[in-house]
Amino acid sequence: MFQPAYLDHNATTPLDPAVLAAMLPWLESQYGNASSRHEYGRRARQAIDEARQQVAAAVNAHPTEVVFTSGGSEANNLFLKGAAASMRPGVLAVSAVEHPCVIKPAAQLARQGWEVRSLAVDTAGSLNLADYAEALLSRPKLISVMTANNETGVVQDIAALANAAKAGGGWFHSDAVQALGKLPLDFRALNAAGVHALTLSAHKAYGPKGAAALVLDKRVELQPLIAGGGHERGLRSGTENVPAIVGFGCAAELAAQRVAELSARLRAMQAKLEAGLAGLGARIFAVEAKRLPNTSYFAFPDIDGETLVGKLDRAGFAVASGAACSSANPEPSHVLRAMGVAPEIARGAIRISLGAGNTETEIEQFINALQATVGRLQGLTAIAV
C-alpha cells in the first residue's frame, strides 16, 4: 500500500527514536534547572555536560569549545555580531549563497560601518576562487562560507579556503548545519587550517528543534547577543533547554557513528533519483560540483515550482521549492541567481533532500508521480500557448 513520502530532510528531519528515548526523562521526571545547586539541578547540569561531550566528540572538538544556542540562526548571528562587536568595523566577506541567517546579519553590520564583500560562486555553485583571492587582498576581518548549501547541496573546500585566508589574520566561520551526519566533520583539523568557528544544528540530524551549537576556538573574543546570568561561558545567557540539549547530544553521537553508512546509501538513492529526473528532461543544478549525498535541485522549463510542489504534495510527496526559511519569498532563489540561472528557470526550482527513512521504492514512486504531474502541467502550458 502506498504511503506518503517525506523528501524534505534539509528543512528538518524526523526525531530518531533513540533521541526521543534520551529526551523523555528530561521532559517528565527530571525537570531541574541546571543552575540550581540541589540534586535536581546537579542532574540537569551533568546531563548538559554529557551532551556537550557528545557534540564535541562528533566533530572532534573539545567540550569547552561547544556553546549551545537555540538554533543555527542564533549561532550564526552570535558569531557574526558577537565578533563584530569586539573589534572596529572592517571588511566582512560572506559567500553569495549563504543562508539568510548569515546574509541578513551581514547586511545589519553594513549599516553599522562594516564593508560587506559578497563572494561570488561559479555556475556550479562552488566559490569562485579568483574572486575569493581578490577579496582576500582587502584583508577581511571576518569571513563566513557555508560548508554545504541547503538548496543545492554544494560542498565547499572549507579547509583550503580558511588556509588561504590565514595570512590576513581574520576570523573564519562556517555554517555546517547541513553537513552534520552527511559528511565527516573534524573541527580540530579545520581549526588547524584556519577555521575559528563552526555552526551545527540538532534538527537537521534527527535531533530536536530548539538546540544548536557554535563550536568556537576559545581564542576568539565574542560579545554575547543575550546578557543575563552568564550561561554558556557568558556567551549565551538563559536557562538551558535540557531536553533539547540532551537530544542534540544523542543525535550528534548517532550522526557520527552512522555517517559513512548513511552517506553511501543516500548517494545510491540520489543517483537513482537523478537518472529518473534526467530521463524526464529536468535540469539538475550543480551536478558539476561536489555535493551532499542526499540533495538534488532541479527544474522543468515553463513549470512553476510552487505549483509543482502543491501538486506533488497532494500526490503524497513532501518536497520543497527552495529553502524552508524562505518559502514565503516569491522571488527566485538567491542561490540560483548567484549561479547565473535565468529567473524563469529559477522560479521552477524544486529541491529533493533524502533521509535515513527513504527507500528506493519511494524514489521509483516519486519519479512516476512526477512524470504524470509534469506531463499534465506541460499539457496545460501547451494549451495556454
Side-chain angles (χ1 to χ4, degrees), residues 276-277 279-280 300 308 312 364-378:
L277 292 173
L280 297 180
F300 291 94
L308 187 52
L312 290 170
E364 294 166 3
Q365 292 172 337
F366 172 75
I367 291 296
N368 290 336
L370 183 63
Q371 181 177 23
T373 304
V374 168
R376 287 193 296 270
L377 291 174
Q378 287 175 334

Side-chain angles (χ1 to χ4, degrees), residues 323-344:
C325 293
S326 302
S327 59
N329 186 354
E331 292 300 313
S333 159
H334 74 282
V335 173
L336 293 181
R337 293 202 309 271
M339 292 165 57
V341 176
E344 60 270 21

Side-chain angles (χ1 to χ4, degrees), residues 20-337:
L20 176 60
M23 292 174 64
L24 279 176
W26 303 98
L27 291 165
E28 298 174 332
S29 58
Q30 301 295 334
Y31 45 80
N33 185 322
S35 295
S36 299
R37 296 183 179 275
H38 47 61
E39 181 65 16
Y40 292 88
R42 289 196 297 274
R43 288 176 187 167
R45 175 57 56 198
Q46 182 179 358
I48 290 173
D49 290 344
E50 290 175 357
R52 200 183 307 276
Q53 292 170 2
Q54 288 173 306
V55 172
V59 297
N60 193 25
H62 192 274
T64 58
E65 295 172 319
V66 175
V67 179
F68 286 123
T69 68
S70 67
S73 292
E74 184 188 344
N76 286 340
N77 275 262
L78 174 59
F79 178 80
L80 290 173
K81 294 179 181 178
S86 68
M87 60 181 73
R88 292 182 177 178
V91 175
L92 162 60
V94 300
S95 85
V97 295
E98 293 299 305
H99 191 277
C101 66
V102 167
I103 290 176
K104 290 185 177 181
Q108 290 177 327
L109 290 173
R111 294 192 288 272
Q112 298 173 21
W114 283 78
E115 178 187 343
V116 177
R117 175 67 151 81
S118 180
L119 302 170
V121 296
D122 60 24
T123 56
S126 297
L127 211 65
N128 183 312
L129 297 182
D131 183 69
Y132 183 64
E134 182 180 330
L136 292 182
L137 296 176
S138 65
R139 299 179 72 86
K141 292 185 174 182
L142 297 173
I143 303 171
S144 187
V145 179
M146 67 196 326
T147 301
N149 188 265
N150 49 301
E151 294 186 35
T152 61
V154 170
V155 176
Q156 308 291 349
D157 189 346
I158 296 301
L161 295 172
N163 190 62
K166 253 185 174 181
W171 293 347
F172 193 107
H173 163 262
S174 184
D175 177 348
V177 161
Q178 292 293 343
L180 181 64
K182 301 168 194 168
L183 300 173
L185 291 172
D186 186 336
F187 184 69
R188 190 62 53 241
L190 289 170
N191 191 229
V195 175
H196 299 92
L198 209 62
T199 294
L200 309 173
S201 181
H203 81 104
K204 306 295 188 179
Y206 309 95
K209 299 173 185 67
L214 183 67
V215 185
L216 182 69
D217 183 327
K218 289 188 291 183
R219 294 170 295 181
V220 173
E221 181 184 352
L222 299 184
Q223 295 297 317
L225 299 182
I226 303 172
H231 308 76
E232 296 300 303
R233 296 183 5 230
L235 292 174
R236 204 282 182 184
S237 291
T239 300
E240 297 94 339
N241 184 349
V242 181
I245 289 172
V246 167
F248 186 14
C250 181
E253 183 173 80
L254 292 173
Q257 292 171 356
R258 299 170 177 174
V259 63
E261 180 274 331
L262 179 59
S263 294
R265 189 157 58 85
L266 291 173
R267 186 73 72 188
M269 286 194 290
Q270 181 189 52
K272 184 180 184 71
L273 169 65
E274 293 187 352
L277 292 173
L280 297 180
R283 175 177 172 181
I284 305 172
F285 303 113
V287 289
E288 305 91 346
K290 180 181 178 182
R291 291 180 295 155
L292 292 173
N294 79 316
T295 305
S296 298
Y297 205 28
F298 62 94
F300 291 94
D302 303 319
I303 292 182
D304 177 71
E306 289 292 340
T307 300
L308 187 52
V309 167
K311 297 287 187 184
L312 290 170
D313 183 37
R314 287 189 284 277
F317 297 94
V319 303
S321 58
C325 293
S326 302
S327 59
N329 186 354
E331 292 300 313
S333 159
H334 74 282
V335 173
L336 293 181
R337 293 202 309 271

